[in-house]
C-alpha cells in the first residue's frame, strides 16, 4: 500500500531523513515514535507529497509520489491526513468542513457530499454539532471532525501526526477510541504518536526514528517484549 525506499531529504544542507525504508501493507497500523525533531512529521508528510524529498522513492497504491506527472490532488484524496492542530476551516460549519473536499476534489454532488458527511459525523459522534463552527467545539470534538473529513474522501490510508498531543488529557481517549475503531475495520494507518498504550493495543508494527534514521521497525509484540536498540530503550525510558 505504502512503500518508502531509501528516502533521504534535506532542508538546505541539513539532512532530516536518512535512507528511510518502510513498507506499510494494506490494513496495517504502523505507529511511529521518536524524539522531538527526529523527522517524524517530515517522514509522513513526504508520503502524501506535502514535503518533497531528494533521494529514494515512495509509492502509494501504485502511484509514484516523486514523479513530476503524479496527480497530487488524487494522491492526497487517497491518503488522508490528520494533524496535531486539527486544521479545520474556521469560517465553515462542521458540515461544510466535511463536505468541501468531496465537492472540490471529488466533484461530488451537494446531496451526495452531505449524505456522506452526515453519515461520518454520526460515526465519530458529532452528528448533533453539524451546524456549529470549529471554535464552538472542544479540541477532542474538532479532532473527531478532522477524522470524519479525512474519511469523507474514501481514503486508502490515513496519516496521523500526533493527533492527540494538543488535547487536554480528558479528551485524548475520545479521539483514540475513534482511531481504534477505524483500525479494527481495516483502515491502513500511519500514526505518529507517543500514546504507547494505544500503540500496544492497536499497532501491528512499531517504528522508532532518531535523527532522521529508522532505528527500529518491528512487530508490536517484539517492540514491547523483546530486546530493543539502546537508542530506542533510552527514548522509551523517558516517555513510559
Ligand atoms: P518531529 O516531527 O519528529 O518533531 P520534524 O519532522 O518536524 O520532527 O522536524 C525534523 C527536523 O527538521 C527538525 O530539526 C526541524 O527543526 C527541521 N525542520 C522541520 N521543518 C523544517 C523546515 N520547513 N525548514 C527547515 N528545517 C525544518
Ligand atoms: Mg512532528
Amino acid at each position: 500500500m505504502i512503500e518508502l525506499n531509501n528516502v533521504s531529504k534535506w532542508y538546505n544542507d541539513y539532512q532530516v531523513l536518512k535512507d528511510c525504508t518502510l513498507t506499510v501493507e494494506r490494513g496495517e497500523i504502523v505507529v511511529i515514535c521518536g524524539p522531538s525533531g527526529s523527522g517524524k512529521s517530515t517522514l509522513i508528510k513526504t508520503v502524501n507529497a506535502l514535503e518533497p524529498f531528494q533521494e529514494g522513492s515512495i509509492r502509494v497504491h501504485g502511484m509514484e509520489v516523486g514523479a513530476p506527472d503524479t496527480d497530487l490532488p488524487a494522491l492526497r484524496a487517497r491518503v488522508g491526513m490528520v494533524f496535531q492542530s486539527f486544521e479545520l476551516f474556521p469560517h465553515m460549519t462542521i458540515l461544510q468542513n466535511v463536505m468541501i473536499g468531496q465537492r472540490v476534489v471529488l466533484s461530488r454532488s451537494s446531496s451526495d457530499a452531505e449524505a456522506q458527511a452526515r453519515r461520518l459525523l454520526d460515526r465519530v459522534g458529532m452528528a448533533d454539532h453539524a451546524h456549529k463552527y470549529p471554535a464552538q467545539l472542544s479540541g477532542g470534538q474538532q479532532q473527531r471532525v478532522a477524522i470524519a473529513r479525512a474519511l469523507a474522501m474514501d481514503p486508502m490510508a490515513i496519516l496521523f501526526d500526533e493527533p492527540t498531543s494538543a488535547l487536554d488529557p480528558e479528551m485524548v481517549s475520545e479521539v483514540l477510541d475513534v482511531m481504534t475503531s477505524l483500525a479494527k475495520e481495516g483502515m491502513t494507518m500511519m500514526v505518529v504518536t507517543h500514546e504507547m498504550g494505544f500503540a500496544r493495543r492497536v499497532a501491528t508494527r512499531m517504528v522508532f526514528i532518531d535523527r532522521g534514521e529508522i532505528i527500529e521497525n518491528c512487530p508490536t509484540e517484539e517492540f514491547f517484549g523483546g530486546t530493543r536498540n539502546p537508542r530506542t530503550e533510552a527514548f522509551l525510558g523517558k516517555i513510559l
Side-chain angles (χ1 to χ4, degrees):
M1 179 69 74
I2 298 172
E3 201 182 322
L4 291 86
N5 277 307
N6 307 105
V7 171
S8 291
K9 173 179 172 65
W10 286 261
Y11 286 121
N12 302 312
D13 51 8
Y14 177 70
Q15 188 170 6
V16 58
L17 297 177
K18 296 174 187 159
D19 214 17
C20 293
T21 294
L22 176 63
T23 305
V24 182
E25 307 284 355
R26 184 185 298 270
E28 260 203 300
I29 317 299
V30 175
V31 162
I32 301 165
C33 61
S36 176
S38 57
K40 306 179 297 295
S41 296
T42 305
L43 182 78
I44 63 168
K45 281 183 190 158
T46 61
V47 172
N48 70 347
L50 288 177
E51 283 288 352
F53 55 96
Q54 285 78 37
E55 282 181 9
S57 65
I58 302 180
R59 290 177 73 79
V60 176
H61 198 65
M63 281 184 280
E64 196 71 51
V65 175
D69 59 346
T70 300
D71 182 349
L72 291 182
L75 170 71
R76 292 191 186 124
R78 315 218 90 178
V79 184
M81 178 112 191
V82 173
F83 299 92
Q84 179 175 355
S85 49
F86 328 132
E87 311 278 348
L88 298 176
F89 298 114
H91 59 292
M92 289 184 191
T93 65
I94 296 315
L95 183 67
Q96 288 167 336
N97 263 279
V98 184
M99 287 175 63
I100 184 77
Q102 303 183 66
R103 298 280 289 136
V104 173
V105 181
L106 303 180
S107 308
R108 279 193 186 136
S109 71
S110 180
S111 59
D112 285 356
E114 178 169 345
Q116 166 94 326
R118 290 197 186 276
R119 183 177 69 75
L120 291 167
L121 286 171
D122 186 45
R123 176 177 176 176
V124 300
M126 291 298 294
D128 296 342
H129 303 272
H131 59 287
K132 292 186 182 167
Y133 287 85
Q136 295 173 278
L137 303 180
S138 72
Q141 291 174 323
Q142 289 187 57
Q143 196 58 301
R144 286 187 281 144
V145 171
I147 294 172
R149 181 175 62 175
L151 288 171
M153 308 297 279
D154 297 319
M156 317 295 304
I158 303 188
L159 314 175
F160 294 85
D161 191 2
E162 304 207 39
T164 61
S165 56
L167 300 178
D168 291 332
E170 73 272 21
M171 290 166 194
V172 169
S173 65
E174 68 192 53
V175 171
L176 293 181
D177 288 350
V178 168
M179 292 168 64
T180 302
S181 81
L182 277 183
K184 295 232 160 82
E185 285 163 31
M187 178 61 76
T188 306
M189 293 162 51
M190 286 177 82
V191 185
V192 175
T193 186
H194 292 151
E195 293 288 339
M196 289 297 131
F198 167 82
R200 207 168 179 147
R201 283 193 309 278
V202 177
T204 52
R205 219 141 39 80
M206 295 293 301
V207 168
F208 172 69
I209 172 165
D210 191 16
R211 282 176 256 149
E213 244 181 292
I214 293 178
I215 303 293
E216 203 101 56
N217 175 8
C218 65
T220 307
E221 317 81 73
E222 213 174 290
F223 187 85
F224 288 106
T227 41
R228 291 177 290 242
N229 181 290
R231 278 156 84 178
T232 313
E233 206 64 57
F235 170 74
L236 289 175
K238 281 183 211 149
I239 66 160
L240 287 178

